[in-house]
Amino acid sequence: MTDFTQTRPLFDLPEGVIYLDGNSLGPLPKSAAARVARTIQDEWGQMLITAWNRAGWMDLPSRLGDRIARLVGAEAGSVVLGDTLSIKVYQALASAIEMNLGRKVILSDSGNFPSDLYMAQGLCKTLGDGYTLKVVAPEEVLGAIDESVAVTMITEVDYRTGRRHDMKAITDRAHAAGALAVWDLAHSAGAFPVELAACGADFACGCTYKYLNSGPGGPAFIYVAPRHQNRARPALSGWLGHEAPFAFDPDYRPGRGVERMRVGTPPILQMAALDAAMEIWDRVDMNALRATSLALTDRFIAGVEAACPDLTLATPRDHTSRGSQASFRHPEGYAIMQALIAEGVVGDFRAPDILRFGFTPLYTSVQDVDGAVAILARIMAELRWDRPEFKARQKVT
Amino acid sequence: MTDFTQTRPLFDLPEGVIYLDGNSLGPLPKSAAARVARTIQDEWGQMLITAWNRAGWMDLPSRLGDRIARLVGAEAGSVVLGDTLSIKVYQALASAIEMNLGRKVILSDSGNFPSDLYMAQGLCKTLGDGYTLKVVAPEEVLGAIDESVAVTMITEVDYRTGRRHDMKAITDRAHAAGALAVWDLAHSAGAFPVELAACGADFACGCTYKYLNSGPGGPAFIYVAPRHQNRARPALSGWLGHEAPFAFDPDYRPGRGVERMRVGTPPILQMAALDAAMEIWDRVDMNALRATSLALTDRFIAGVEAACPDLTLATPRDHTSRGSQASFRHPEGYAIMQALIAEGVVGDFRAPDILRFGFTPLYTSVQDVDGAVAILARIMAELRWDRPEFKARQKVT
């Protein structure tokens, strides 16, 4: 599907809101409410325990994984859903670092989402014995990959600036140095075509509640390259990752392929909502999506730069170096975002000074972009420190 | 509430089914469908990202934790929801073992649910350095607690037999030997009054989709005794367990109290269903629940023993030594359970030979018990090996 005027009516968006925060929480696909209601009433309510087989609940994490695989350029059978992104990052890291015994450095960058850094710090403490997380500036990643590095842990798109790393270049450099590459696709999956297999990524993970629109707390996913699937040890070795969960074997034996990365009982209501969202995604041409996303983002950047000289672009202009968001800096960014939200333009503020706006062709139109620019321009022109938002901000600081 | 004829109408149970499997997946509280629909349409759909604050999503894991705390005898502020039971077991174990440096043995028993054993095996491999899981028979646990044991990891009620451990005795013995006690309440929470604080438990965890009726894949919970909360290091150190998640600090600093055991973004749709289930639980007198549960279980055991001499009771007769289920052994247990399910009596089979039946006063009546006994008696009397269930079974073996 390349005509995005056909997808917008599939979402429930409140009247009078220009929603540029789908990179934080995607909006509600209209079909999700009925899909979840069916799971609750017809499956849970009527089939009870038998729904695990009769309604196909048990296989849902793999079936959804195969559908997400297409969006991120992964091989069939290499993606499975479950848990949260932080847990999936931990699993990927723990497996990868153990496949590279003798090396003790996890390399990441300061543009990574903090939870990834925290999970790596936690893993290093549990491993003890000199394991460390090394954090460099985003532009220093390539140069910092040396033969001490066991694994790189990079989030492709910076959650604040929208800056996009070169997945192929970093993965190649990691491999050349004997390291493994773990990718976090939080701001990539559903934002543009990702090519995990073509880039040779070793592990990847992502969340579904941003661009993929699965709803608050929707399950995460993990990718394990087929060449690693049968030797990656799951550190979080739960029963649904066992070779035969219902044999109730006292000893863990990892399951086949990526299935071993399953841990506990999957959240079926959240997966039902994701299933509804995927019915839209199954029909989306990712290249058309990317072209439209870039056009929307370019238009927004040009409009804001023309109308709001006090805002400084934080996102790279180069198309290959950005995701599907545009960010601007301003010292009073928090108060400006509050004023925007009060006027119906919903974006996000990220400390210390970032205003970020996500662009999602499935439901964001050229008219939305122009409307957001006009409202932002008016707010910036009327910037008066006696507005309640600014007063509130001044009290806080 | 002690009159359980008032609670049964609050559940959606299919016509003609006697559901004795609420210890595997609790049935649907009628209010859950509307509660989840409200979260989807009014909160996700209309409030979008602002629902994290406006709809109280961010605090839901703690608010639900305080309500569950009452059912398990925990102090306010000591329980938080999230993830799956396997993940919560891992967190509890990893924190506990690190608080007991120098000791390297996790002690468990062969009646534990395999996923707990698997998670412990995974943790020991990650820790390396001689850490081991020691598994003894359930009746040998007390005697096996010596000064090599860092932490006991015991599931209070055996998922197959319904045998209940003495939480106070094991916890006391663990403490006397300098060990910490981690309890898994999978078959305890909502089954009878649990007294975590009174027993001096150090850590505990449980799931909500069994007796608590939160639906398939409902979130797990973790308990950390107040005396440990500010020194337990979270091994899975996710951003929502950080002292200030929205400061986006590059370094992890654990949050206050049990909040540090949060990891990633909570599954809000599952939590909404749990919230609906808790509206029933908030009014339940746990002592009355226990009395009724024992009466139902006794009646079932007496009925089956009188009518089905070929079935051997696997559950202790002593009230203090059992949970809220009754299990019987039979070499053809699998086929018998298939025949029962075909007749509308839903229980569970657990390899190699266990038929298990859960009793949940909220929606199980004396008439259900008598009906189930009568149907089981008829099946056992008519036991003929040319029935399709038995033929199927014979093909499999």
Side-chain angles (χ1 to χ4, degrees):
Chain A
M1 191 186 306
T2 55
D3 177 4
F4 296 111
T5 61
Q6 303 293 309
T7 52
R8 182 177 174 116
L10 304 176
F11 291 90
D12 204 352
L13 285 158
E15 273 298 307
V17 166
I18 298 176
Y19 194 61
L20 303 179
D21 209 2
N23 51 337
S24 190
L25 175 68
L28 171 63
K30 283 180 183 164
S31 62
R35 177 70 183 79
V36 175
R38 180 158 61 82
T39 291
I40 291 179
Q41 294 186 303
D42 301 349
E43 297 172 8
W44 177 14
Q46 293 302 305
M47 299 182 195
L48 291 156
I49 189 69
T50 64
W52 283 106
N53 294 316
R54 281 172 62 201
W57 289 351
M58 198 49 88
D59 301 329
L60 211 42
S62 308
R63 284 186 286 123
L64 288 166
D66 278 338
R67 291 159 78 185
I68 286 174
R70 184 185 74 87
L71 308 184
V72 296
E75 302 86 345
S78 65
V79 175
V80 72
L81 276 287
D83 306 298
T84 63
L85 178 51
S86 294
I87 295 290
K88 275 2 210 177
V89 165
Y90 190 91
Q91 286 187 293
L93 272 185
S95 288
I97 207 160
E98 207 172 281
M99 289 163 67
N100 220 344
L101 286 178
R103 296 192 182 194
K104 300 196 168 174
V105 175
I106 298 172
L107 179 70
S108 192
D109 73 79
S110 56
N112 205 341
F113 188 68
S115 201
D116 292 20
L117 304 178
Y118 303 161
M119 295 306 285
Q121 288 164 3
L123 175 63
C124 288
K125 279 207 181 161
T126 298
L127 288 167
D129 202 22
Y131 283 89
T132 50
L133 169 68
K134 181 176 177 181
V135 178
V136 300
E139 58 277 16
E140 292 166 3
V141 168
L142 267 182
I145 301 173
D146 59 26
E147 300 198 347
S148 71
V149 175
V151 48
T152 59
M153 173 185 72
I154 307 291
T155 295
E156 189 180 14
V157 177
D158 188 302
Y159 72 108
R160 286 169 304 199
T161 64
R163 185 261 316 123
R164 178 178 173 184
H165 274 302
D166 184 336
M167 182 182 284
K168 182 84 171 70
I170 291 178
T171 304
D172 284 349
R173 184 73 62 95
H175 291 172
L180 293 172
V182 172
W183 287 96
D184 177 339
L185 306 178
H187 292 267
S188 307
F192 49 78
V194 178
E195 294 296 344
L196 286 174
C199 291
D202 298 292
F203 293 85
C205 29
C207 62
T208 62
Y209 53 74
K210 296 177 183 290
Y211 290 96
L212 297 179
N213 311 310
S214 73
F221 64 87
I222 187 167
Y223 164 82
V224 182
R227 64 187 176 280
H228 298 317
Q229 285 175 10
N230 288 324
R231 64 190 193 105
R233 182 182 75 87
L236 304 174
S237 39
W239 72 305
L240 290 183
H242 191 280
E243 189 179 20
F246 290 93
F248 301 106
D249 184 345
D251 291 308
Y252 183 72
R253 283 178 286 126
R256 275 181 313 145
V258 75
E259 293 271 333
R260 63 180 59 188
M261 293 298 172
R262 293 180 64 167
V263 185
T265 305
I268 296 300
L269 308 189
Q270 309 281 158
M271 293 211 176
L274 172 58
D275 189 50
M278 291 307 296
E279 283 175 21
I280 301 173
W281 281 109
D282 288 344
R283 293 176 291 148
V284 172
D285 175 330
M286 295 304 289
N287 292 315
L289 181 95
R290 176 62 169 170
T292 307
S293 154
L294 288 171
L296 292 171
T297 324
D298 281 344
R299 188 180 183 99
F300 183 76
I301 291 172
V304 173
E305 291 196 316
C308 312
D310 293 347
L311 295 177
T312 308
L313 183 66
T315 303
R317 286 177 206 281
D318 173 19
H319 284 177
T320 62
S321 302
R322 65 164 127 115
S324 192
Q325 74 181 61
S327 300
F328 290 88
R329 294 184 192 278
H330 190 283
E332 287 298 333
Y334 177 82
I336 295 166
M337 185 53 75
Q338 293 304 106
L340 269 172
I341 292 171
E343 304 270 347
V345 178
V346 181
D348 248 336
F349 172 75
R350 284 292 175 257
D353 61 355
I354 293 265
L355 296 147
R356 75 173 195 188
F357 305 90
F359 294 87
T360 45
L362 297 193
Y363 52 83
T364 309
S365 65
V366 167
Q367 290 72 33
D368 290 332
V369 168
D370 293 348
V373 168
I375 292 169
L376 178 56
R378 180 157 50 75
I379 288 170
M380 295 304 295
E382 291 172 357
L383 206 69
R384 286 184 16 230
W385 302 105
D386 56 351
R387 285 174 68 112
E389 310 82 78
F390 293 92
K391 280 200 200 158
R393 170 67 177 167
Q394 285 167 320
K395 249 182 254 163
V396 171
T397 52
Chain B
M1 189 188 305
T2 55
D3 176 5
F4 296 111
T5 60
Q6 303 292 309
T7 52
R8 182 175 175 121
L10 304 177
F11 291 90
D12 205 351
L13 286 158
E15 274 298 308
V17 166
I18 298 176
Y19 194 61
L20 304 178
D21 209 3
N23 50 336
S24 191
L25 175 68
L28 171 63
K30 283 180 183 163
S31 61
R35 177 70 182 78
V36 174
R38 180 157 61 81
T39 291
I40 291 179
Q41 293 186 302
D42 301 350
E43 297 173 7
W44 177 14
Q46 293 302 304
M47 299 183 195
L48 291 156
I49 189 69
T50 66
W52 283 106
N53 293 316
R54 282 171 64 202
W57 289 350
M58 198 48 90
D59 302 329
L60 211 41
S62 308
R63 284 186 285 123
L64 288 166
D66 278 340
R67 291 159 78 184
I68 286 174
R70 185 185 73 86
L71 308 183
V72 296
E75 302 86 345
S78 64
V79 175
V80 74
L81 276 287
D83 306 298
T84 64
L85 178 50
S86 295
I87 295 290
K88 274 4 210 175
V89 165
Y90 190 91
Q91 287 187 292
L93 272 186
S95 288
I97 208 161
E98 204 171 283
M99 289 163 69
N100 220 345
L101 286 178
R103 296 190 181 195
K104 300 196 169 174
V105 175
I106 298 171
L107 178 70
S108 192
D109 73 78
S110 56
N112 206 341
F113 188 67
S115 201
D116 291 21
L117 304 178
Y118 303 160
M119 294 305 285
Q121 288 163 2
L123 175 62
C124 287
K125 280 207 181 161
T126 298
L127 288 167
D129 201 23
Y131 283 89
T132 51
L133 169 68
K134 181 176 176 180
V135 179
V136 300
E139 58 276 15
E140 292 166 3
V141 168
L142 267 182
I145 301 173
D146 60 28
E147 301 197 346
S148 71
V149 175
V151 48
T152 59
M153 172 185 71
I154 306 291
T155 295
E156 188 179 16
V157 176
D158 187 304
Y159 73 108
R160 286 169 302 199
T161 64
R163 185 262 314 123
R164 178 178 173 184
H165 273 303
D166 183 335
M167 182 183 285
K168 182 84 172 70
I170 290 178
T171 304
D172 283 350
R173 183 74 61 94
H175 291 173
L180 293 171
V182 172
W183 287 95
D184 177 339
L185 307 178
H187 292 267
S188 306
F192 49 78
V194 178
E195 293 295 344
L196 287 174
C199 291
D202 297 292
F203 293 84
C205 29
C207 62
T208 62
Y209 53 74
K210 296 178 182 289
Y211 290 97
L212 297 179
N213 310 310
S214 73
F221 64 87
I222 186 167
Y223 164 82
V224 183
R227 65 187 176 280
H228 299 317
Q229 285 173 10
N230 287 324
R231 65 191 193 102
R233 181 182 76 86
L236 304 174
S237 39
W239 73 303
L240 290 183
H242 191 279
E243 190 178 20
F246 289 92
F248 300 106
D249 184 345
D251 292 308
Y252 183 72
R253 284 178 286 124
R256 277 181 313 144
V258 76
E259 293 271 332
R260 65 181 56 190
M261 293 298 172
R262 292 179 65 166
V263 184
T265 305
I268 297 300
L269 308 189
Q270 308 281 158
M271 293 212 175
L274 172 58
D275 190 50
M278 291 307 296
E279 283 175 20
I280 301 173
W281 281 109
D282 287 345
R283 293 177 290 147
V284 171
D285 175 328
M286 295 302 289
N287 292 313
L289 181 95
R290 176 63 169 168
T292 306
S293 153
L294 288 170
L296 292 170
T297 322
D298 282 343
R299 188 180 183 101
F300 183 76
I301 291 171
V304 173
E305 291 197 315
C308 312
D310 292 347
L311 294 178
T312 308
L313 183 67
T315 302
R317 286 176 205 281
D318 173 19
H319 284 178
T320 62
S321 302
R322 66 164 128 114
S324 193
Q325 74 181 61
S327 300
F328 289 87
R329 294 184 192 280
H330 191 283
E332 287 298 333
Y334 177 82
I336 295 167
M337 185 54 75
Q338 293 304 106
L340 270 171
I341 292 170
E343 304 270 347
V345 178
V346 181
D348 247 336
F349 172 75
R350 284 291 175 260
D353 61 355
I354 293 266
L355 296 146
R356 75 174 194 187
F357 304 90
F359 293 88
T360 46
L362 297 193
Y363 52 84
T364 310
S365 65
V366 166
Q367 290 71 35
D368 290 331
V369 168
D370 294 347
V373 168
I375 292 169
L376 178 57
R378 181 158 49 75
I379 287 170
M380 294 304 295
E382 290 174 358
L383 205 68
R384 284 182 20 227
W385 302 107
D386 56 351
R387 284 175 68 112
E389 309 83 78
F390 293 93
K391 280 200 201 159
R393 169 67 177 168
Q394 284 167 319
K395 249 182 254 165
V396 171
T397 53

